[in-house]
Amino acid sequence: MQFMLLFSRQGKLRLQKWYVPLSDKEKKKITRELVQTVLARKPKMCSFLEWRDLKIVYKRYASLYFCCAIEDQDNELITLEIIHRYVELLDKYFGSVCELDIIFNFEKAYFILDEFLLGGEAQETSKKNVLKAIEQADLLQEVCCSLPSS
Amino acid sequence: MPAPIRLRELIRTIRTARTQAEEREMIQKECAAIRSSFREEDNTYRCRNVAKLLYMHMLGYPAHFGQLECLKLIASQKFTDKRIGYLGAMLLLDERQDVHLLMTNCIKNDLNHSTQYVQGLALCTLGCMGSSEMCRDLAGEVEKLLKTSNSYLRKKAALCAVHVIRKVPELMEMFLPATKNLLSEKNHGVLHTSVVLLTEMCERSPDMLSHFRKVLILVPQLVRILKNLIMSGYSPEHDVSGISDPFLQVRILRLLRILGRSDDDSSEAMNDILAQVATNTETSKNVGNAILYETVLTIMDIKSESGLRVLAINILGRFLLNNDKNIRYVALTSLLKTVQTDHNAVQRHRSTIVDCLKDLDVSIKRRAMELSFALVNGNNIRGMMKELLYFLDSCDPEFKADCASGVFLAAEKYAPSKRWHIDTIMRVLTTAGSYVRDDSVPNLIQLITNSVEMHAYTVQRLYKALLDDISQQPLVQVASWCIGEYGDLLVSGQCEEEEPIQVTEDEVLDVLEGLLVSNLSAPVTRGYSLTAIMKLSTRFSSVNRIKKVVSIYGSSIDVELQQRAVEYNALFKKYDHMRPALLERMPIMEKTATNGPSEIVQTNGETDSTVLDTKHPPTITQPPSQGNDLLDLLGGNDVVPVIQTSLPTKPPSAGGELLDLLGDLSLTGAPPPAPASVPSVPMSQPPFLLDGLSSQPLFNDIGTGIPPMTAYNKNGLKIEFMFERSNPNPNIAVITIHASNSTEADMTDFVFQAAVPKTFQLQLLSPSSNVVPALNQGNVTQVIRVLNPQKQQLRMRIKLTYTYKGSPVQDLAEVNNFPPQSWQ
């Protein structure tokens, strides 16, 4: 996966995870164009489209679009499952997640994503394990005093 | 200094902004506060401030002044700080800025931290955005962690290693030892990431690939793991809709693909498991289909046995019928990839593919169209073309150009008849005429010139199309060209294919002039119509009208038109004697390499089963070497109006024998006007001789008063010469031979050949037929033109060959009794 974007139906960006090095300007340009393209799609259309030399896989959950850019040799159908798994994780963590949760707790959304994917690939295929890790890390945050260093 | 507001508070506040300006104001205020807080080196609230900065960054506002702060957070000992610090680094820093290198040391320390979640943060950040320098520095640490027994860290280290390898491929070797027992892990996370790592290494290095195949013998291990996944019972931890860890299954299948590619042994070892997955996977949900999809890709890419390949194609065929459009999409994409190699198997699903042309989704339609063109062959051309033309009518404009080009290509390759071909072209031009590619116009013109017997039909249909609609430029251009070229056929009402229309010369000129003045015509189109009008001056009799039109455009604002008109004017005035020669019928154009998008129609190696034209055009026995080239190019037994110019290079059956016998007589033919790649390709006419490709009398002036003569009369075969003098050029004698047969049996395969002395030049046009019917029931006529610039006495040697009652007959004769008027 090269990048993942979450955006609302009005085109507002809610999360951006880039797995390839690009300048800020380029990222903005790509985001703008892609958001426009995906929002222009009609509901009956399929979840895949070609854009530049990438394959775009997107799915709408309630008011949020989840959009991934994958490479030619990646499997589009399993990417849909990846997106779905991420939504399930968010749902379990926030309890019936909605867009507002992601807006107000964006940093947590990133933490969860970073426990699920690393470098664009899934690092953990067990839902339970991802959630357990997040839970433990959150607990660690609660412990406010310094950590013993290495 | 009051405590900076909390993150959630800020978000709430910003969201209350009603205008962009209001939001900007709030942001600026907060940024100022954050900046001063940073300046004060406030450790307590740094984390909170950076988090707020990250939020504002996501809204699109600049946040670069927070970069160094992220580094400070990473260096902090508090886990909260590190978490936000690393997140900030991933969002705000990128490898172009040197600042990021300052992270290296922190990451190194954190990779060795006692708390695995800290180590995890470090691995994640490195694996996400580590630059080449950082990777080089820290590869050793990653490699160490790859060997740890802590599965939480091991899986992250594996993906981090993938990133390191991508950034610094030379470091790949370093990770090799650690891969030895990666697959013996039980933990799915580690297994999954290990497979990803192994895949990356195999893809990058053929040496690695063979190492993994032969030394580590990965294939059986992977097969075993996959088998366990499929056969094992329900595992709640990894279950997705009844399938156990689909993510891992898909990655394993992908790695198997790479291992099995071009390797017989590996492919064989995975044959069974692939068949098992293909048949046992539950297809009701997307997740099952995802696995099947990957399986199909693998089967098609390795050296699988044919039964397995057919199974794979059938899976794709079933996908095509799935309600889920995503599944249909991947099916079409995959079929497109395999249509070359497994053409017959894909053909079986042709009707389903054609149905997908009617799908609502644009991407599906496009793929269905590409696939349909790939499947067109000689057998299904009629049916397929019907569907594709229907598609062309109703599809979105973005498809029309490609579809039109595809139709032209397919029609050219597989047209069952000339008439069908012309009709198809007409259909495309009239329905999608404005979308046809520019290069189609010359291609079509070439095609039309090649279909000699269809000229009258073609020009008539094009004329009728023009009467309906002059807005589609490619149609108008082709039509103008044809009318200019074959206008004489149009007004003489010679169409055999359909009811000939009654059209006067004035009506035709009206239409062409209409194009010149119409707003709808592009400048190029106007050029075409002006030239067409000019050409008609040698084909029509209303020359004065044409002269008038041409002179008007001599003062046109359009420079191109003006130039043409002025030149044509000059032709009328000063060079009128050259006019007929310049405006004569075009020769058949040499077919060059395929123009246009040839990727749309893919060759499929199937034999063409073109249906012979049911009309009976004269076929001339060609010496094989020259005839077949042109015939092959035209893809069938199309008739080429052949002129038997007896070139010395001709093989024996045609010219050699004559050469032997005729000694001092030269066998010169006319030099071909266009550079021919095959030197002996017969060209239709040399440039200096005049009008007319067909074997009709060329000029209206028949009454020259030269009496006909009998050139040959033997064994029941009588050949008479009828003379015409061509008006503009008295050096040319036009002779029409009439061959008749008074015997009781037909003379078939009749060929007439002639040779003249060196000072003459000779041209033979195509005969009307090669069967001389018995009992004088009909004549074979053929036109000979002889150029005699030195006005010498005309002499000719003729050779006749034909088949009579099953046996071949051949005869030579000299013709010396030409009437003086024919050459003086």
Side-chain angles (χ1 to χ4, degrees):
Chain A
M1 194 186 299
Q2 291 208 359
F3 57 84
M4 182 192 281
L5 303 172
L6 264 67
F7 50 90
S8 71
R9 286 216 282 212
Q10 288 75 39
K12 288 210 130 160
L13 201 59
R14 299 301 179 203
L15 189 144
Q16 49 173 333
K17 189 73 189 179
W18 299 84
Y19 295 110
V20 287
L22 290 167
S23 72
D24 230 17
K25 202 165 123 191
E26 283 167 316
K27 287 182 191 168
K28 279 208 166 101
K29 182 159 181 265
I30 290 174
T31 308
R32 197 174 45 236
E33 274 179 39
L34 202 49
V35 167
Q36 226 173 9
T37 310
V38 173
L39 288 177
R41 303 273 288 181
K42 303 193 197 71
K44 284 252 179 261
M45 292 178 151
C46 73
S47 298
F48 314 129
L49 61 106
E50 278 116 36
W51 186 80
R52 301 199 184 174
D53 59 340
L54 294 168
K55 300 201 274 200
I56 305 291
V57 180
Y58 72 93
K59 191 145 187 219
R60 185 168 74 81
Y61 288 85
S63 58
L64 264 185
Y65 281 90
F66 288 70
C67 183
C68 296
I70 58 176
E71 281 153 358
D72 209 42
Q73 62 270 42
D74 293 327
N75 182 326
E76 295 96 318
L77 298 179
I78 207 74
T79 309
L80 278 176
E81 293 298 322
I82 298 250
I83 292 177
H84 191 75
R85 173 57 64 88
Y86 182 45
V87 173
E88 282 179 327
L89 289 166
L90 290 169
D91 195 62
K92 224 26 195 298
Y93 182 81
F94 288 109
S96 290
V97 68
C98 63
E99 193 185 342
L100 276 178
D101 291 320
I102 300 186
I103 294 171
F104 279 93
N105 301 285
F106 70 93
E107 84 279 14
K108 300 237 169 68
Y110 275 109
F111 297 152
I112 295 171
L113 186 61
D114 286 340
E115 277 302 324
F116 175 41
L117 303 178
L118 200 159
E121 303 282 350
Q123 58 180 281
E124 181 57 67
T125 57
S126 154
K127 227 183 329 190
K128 188 178 87 179
N129 287 349
V130 176
L131 292 168
K132 200 161 63 170
I134 292 287
E135 217 180 280
Q136 300 281 44
D138 282 350
L139 268 175
L140 207 51
Q141 246 188 259
E142 299 301 313
V143 176
C144 58
C145 41
S146 307
L147 300 161
S149 60
S150 49
Chain B
M1 179 89 194
I5 66 171
R6 293 174 176 278
L7 172 64
R8 322 272 175 238
E9 189 65 47
L10 178 68
I11 297 176
R12 205 168 297 128
T13 314
I14 291 179
R15 282 172 65 78
T16 62
R18 274 161 299 169
T19 65
Q20 185 76 3
E22 219 181 306
E23 183 186 275
R24 210 176 310 134
E25 211 183 295
M26 291 177 186
I27 302 260
Q28 272 171 354
K29 202 168 113 194
E30 187 57 38
C31 276
I34 294 177
R35 268 194 163 100
S36 48
S37 182
F38 285 162
R39 266 195 302 266
E40 287 166 20
E41 296 286 348
D42 183 329
N43 288 336
T44 330
Y45 296 113
R46 183 178 285 122
C47 176
R48 183 185 290 183
N49 284 329
V50 169
K52 286 187 285 186
L53 203 54
L54 292 180
Y55 177 73
M56 295 188 285
H57 176 255
M58 185 143 65
L59 291 178
Y61 295 93
H64 44 271
F65 57 91
Q67 285 168 359
L68 275 171
E69 303 300 312
C70 293
L71 296 175
K72 291 181 197 162
L73 284 174
I74 292 173
S76 156
Q77 289 310 309
K78 283 166 73 170
F79 183 65
T80 321
D81 284 355
K82 283 189 189 286
R83 242 183 163 185
I84 296 288
Y86 277 117
L87 179 61
M90 287 193 271
L91 287 174
L92 299 181
L93 288 173
D94 72 71
E95 57 177 53
R96 292 139 205 266
Q97 291 143 357
D98 294 328
V99 155
H100 85 285
L101 285 170
L102 298 171
M103 265 199 295
T104 316
N105 216 35
C106 280
I107 295 184
K108 186 165 193 185
N109 290 334
D110 283 343
L111 284 174
N112 293 305
H113 206 276
S114 55
T115 312
Q116 67 174 18
Y117 297 105
V118 173
Q119 290 172 294
L121 285 176
L123 281 168
C124 181
T125 308
L126 182 60
C128 177
M129 45 95 60
S131 64
S132 325
E133 295 95 334
M134 277 170 74
C135 288
R136 249 185 265 267
D137 286 340
L138 301 169
E141 306 296 327
V142 176
E143 198 260 341
K144 225 167 38 180
L145 288 170
L146 191 52
K147 297 192 282 213
T148 176
S149 54
N150 180 335
S151 49
Y152 178 78
L153 292 176
R154 209 169 180 204
K155 72 189 188 198
K156 290 182 193 267
L159 289 181
C160 199
V162 170
H163 181 84
V164 169
I165 291 173
R166 282 186 186 152
K167 282 295 197 190
V168 193
E170 307 89 73
L171 292 175
M172 197 173 6
E173 290 285 332
M174 181 178 186
F175 295 103
L176 189 54
T179 61
K180 226 188 308 195
N181 54 2
L182 274 178
L183 290 184
S184 38
E185 262 277 359
K186 289 277 183 278
N187 180 291
H188 280 226
V190 177
L191 273 177
H192 186 272
T193 59
S194 303
V195 172
V196 174
L197 176 58
L198 292 168
T199 309
E200 185 70 29
M201 292 168 97
C202 287
E203 274 178 338
R204 280 187 181 267
S205 153
D207 289 334
M208 286 285 179
L209 179 57
S210 49
H211 174 86
F212 287 129
R213 263 191 201 135
K214 310 220 162 67
V215 178
L216 284 192
I217 318 176
L218 276 189
V219 174
Q221 290 185 60
L222 292 167
V223 167
R224 189 180 32 87
I225 298 172
L226 194 49
K227 202 170 208 154
N228 283 338
L229 285 174
I230 303 171
M231 307 297 263
S232 67
Y234 177 70
S235 151
E237 201 177 329
H238 299 109
D239 181 273
V240 180
S241 306
I243 297 182
S244 192
D245 207 339
F247 304 107
L248 183 56
Q249 287 195 37
V250 165
R251 279 327 291 235
I252 291 180
L253 286 163
R254 187 160 151 185
L255 180 54
L256 284 175
R257 179 153 82 242
I258 296 168
L259 290 169
R261 210 179 261 160
S262 357
D263 188 87
D264 289 322
D265 292 330
S266 302
S267 299
E268 214 194 299
M270 56 180 81
N271 218 45
D272 287 342
I273 192 68
L274 289 174
Q276 207 175 352
V277 175
T279 42
N280 288 344
T281 307
E282 183 63 48
T283 60
S284 54
K285 292 266 173 67
N286 180 63
V287 64
N289 289 321
I291 295 175
L292 280 177
Y293 177 41
E294 197 73 35
T295 313
V296 166
L297 290 178
T298 301
I299 292 175
M300 300 315 291
D301 222 9
I302 64 172
K303 297 195 160 248
S304 46
E305 51 182 46
S306 61
L308 203 54
R309 292 182 89 85
V310 172
L311 180 59
I313 304 258
N314 289 344
I315 290 176
L316 292 178
R318 273 207 310 275
F319 274 6
L320 282 180
L321 300 168
N322 197 304
N323 283 330
D324 187 342
K325 46 192 153 6
N326 294 331
I327 309 280
R328 292 205 296 276
Y329 177 92
V330 301
L332 287 171
T333 312
S334 313
L335 284 170
L336 204 52
K337 283 191 218 152
T338 66
V339 71
Q340 302 274 48
T341 44
D342 297 85
H343 189 87
N344 292 329
V346 180
Q347 278 282 3
R348 258 178 249 135
H349 302 279
R350 196 178 63 239
S351 52
T352 328
I353 292 168
V354 167
D355 280 339
C356 288
L357 286 171
K358 305 189 185 91
D359 204 293
L360 293 165
D361 185 299
V362 162
S363 318
I364 290 183
K365 273 205 277 234
R366 176 168 285 282
R367 272 168 181 65
M369 180 182 85
E370 283 176 30
L371 204 46
S372 300
F373 279 122
L375 291 174
V376 170
N377 63 27
N379 291 325
N380 59 36
I381 177 76
R382 284 186 193 268
M384 287 296 274
M385 202 47 88
K386 221 189 312 195
E387 296 285 345
L388 288 164
L389 287 172
Y390 182 72
F391 175 68
L392 183 62
D393 284 342
S394 52
C395 69
D396 297 329
E398 60 187 284
F399 288 119
K400 293 212 190 219
D402 287 333
C403 191
S405 302
V407 168
F408 287 147
L409 268 166
E412 217 173 293
K413 274 197 153 115
Y414 303 111
S417 76
K418 285 273 179 204
R419 162 97 190 242
W420 182 94
H421 197 169
I422 302 283
D423 283 343
T424 307
I425 292 173
M426 290 294 308
R427 175 86 183 270
V428 174
L429 286 177
T430 48
T431 55
S434 357
Y435 299 98
V436 158
R437 287 212 170 83
D438 288 339
D439 63 354
S440 307
V441 171
N443 286 346
L444 288 174
I445 289 177
Q446 179 190 61
L447 205 66
I448 290 171
T449 55
N450 283 338
S451 333
V452 175
E453 68 281 10
M454 303 296 294
H455 285 166
Y457 172 68
T458 311
V459 69
Q460 179 163 300
R461 285 212 57 189
L462 284 167
Y463 179 76
K464 283 200 269 189
L466 271 192
L467 292 177
D468 275 333
D469 172 20
I470 58 169
S471 63
Q472 304 192 83
Q473 299 307 294
L475 171 63
V476 175
Q477 287 166 14
V478 175
S480 312
W481 190 91
C482 283
I483 294 174
E485 189 67 8
Y486 309 119
D488 49 325
L489 299 178
L490 185 59
V491 297
S492 61
Q494 287 180 6
C495 184
E496 285 164 4
E497 295 284 340
E498 60 175 22
E499 190 64 37
I501 55 174
Q502 308 298 342
V503 153
T504 65
E505 291 182 0
D506 277 322
E507 284 170 339
V508 174
L509 288 170
D510 282 342
V511 169
L512 286 175
E513 281 189 55
L515 294 174
L516 274 174
V517 302
S518 166
N519 287 336
L520 298 166
S521 299
V524 172
T525 310
R526 291 206 174 90
Y528 270 91
S529 41
L530 187 62
T531 304
I533 292 175
M534 188 59 194
K535 277 159 109 179
L536 289 174
S537 70
T538 53
R539 293 159 174 75
F540 283 0
S541 52
S542 13
V543 180
N544 285 328
R545 177 173 173 178
I546 293 174
K547 270 193 197 165
K548 228 188 317 176
V549 173
V550 166
S551 63
I552 291 173
Y553 280 87
S555 37
S556 161
I557 330 171
D558 182 329
V559 176
E560 172 73 31
L561 276 183
Q562 191 191 106
Q563 179 174 1
R564 287 182 191 220
V566 164
E567 286 173 1
Y568 294 155
N569 249 336
L571 207 55
F572 273 125
K573 296 206 164 65
K574 279 195 268 178
Y575 301 99
D576 205 42
H577 58 283
M578 283 172 68
R579 184 166 52 89
L582 283 172
L583 299 175
E584 62 194 0
R585 198 72 103 215
M586 293 288 269
I588 304 170
M589 297 177 208
E590 276 279 306
K591 191 170 161 70
T592 53
T594 318
N595 301 319
S598 51
E599 67 270 13
I600 286 193
V601 177
Q602 291 143 353
T603 50
N604 52 29
E606 293 199 0
T607 52
D608 299 327
S609 52
T610 51
V611 173
L612 279 178
D613 202 341
T614 49
K615 282 189 58 79
H616 212 348
T619 48
I620 293 133
T621 48
Q622 273 283 303
S625 63
Q626 10 167 283
N628 289 342
D629 299 350
L630 211 58
L631 285 174
D632 285 349
L633 288 173
L634 293 173
N637 295 337
D638 298 326
V639 169
V640 176
V642 159
I643 294 6
Q644 281 188 318
T645 47
S646 322
L647 298 173
T649 51
K650 255 187 173 191
S653 63
E657 288 151 348
L658 274 176
L659 252 181
D660 290 341
L661 297 164
L662 293 174
D664 61 18
L665 294 183
S666 79
L667 300 167
T668 51
S677 50
V678 179
S680 47
V681 168
M683 294 312 293
S684 59
Q685 70 219 79
F688 63 91
L689 291 182
L690 302 161
D691 204 314
L693 200 64
S694 59
S695 49
Q696 304 164 353
L698 303 160
F699 280 89
N700 299 331
D701 117 2
I702 293 182
T704 47
I706 305 174
M709 61 176 259
T710 305
Y712 178 93
N713 194 347
K714 218 159 83 167
N715 298 330
L717 175 63
K718 180 164 142 190
I719 299 194
E720 284 194 317
F721 282 9
M722 311 270 196
F723 296 95
E724 290 140 37
R725 181 124 276 189
S726 69
N727 224 350
N729 191 339
N731 293 335
I732 295 177
V734 180
I735 306 170
T736 308
I737 68 154
H738 292 255
S740 55
N741 172 6
S742 59
T743 69
E744 68 210 23
D746 289 346
M747 294 170 179
T748 55
D749 304 319
F750 176 76
V751 176
F752 174 90
Q753 290 167 310
V756 288
K758 266 203 209 21
T759 52
F760 294 81
Q761 285 197 34
L762 178 80
Q763 186 196 14
L764 277 174
L765 300 185
S766 48
S768 59
S769 153
N770 61 352
V771 174
V772 192
L775 302 170
N776 292 325
Q777 282 170 31
N779 282 349
V780 168
T781 57
Q782 191 164 7
V783 176
I784 308 172
R785 290 192 198 135
V786 183
L787 178 67
N788 184 4
Q790 294 177 25
K791 296 232 184 266
Q792 298 199 344
Q793 182 182 17
L794 187 52
R795 294 187 287 147
M796 200 186 273
R797 209 166 259 186
I798 61 176
K799 179 177 168 192
L800 308 158
T801 47
Y802 54 91
T803 306
Y804 186 67
K805 289 185 178 169
S807 21
V809 178
Q810 193 178 294
D811 201 8
L812 286 171
E814 270 208 42
V815 184
N816 288 322
N817 52 335
F818 284 95
Q821 302 101 305
S822 65
W823 46 270
Q824 275 172 349

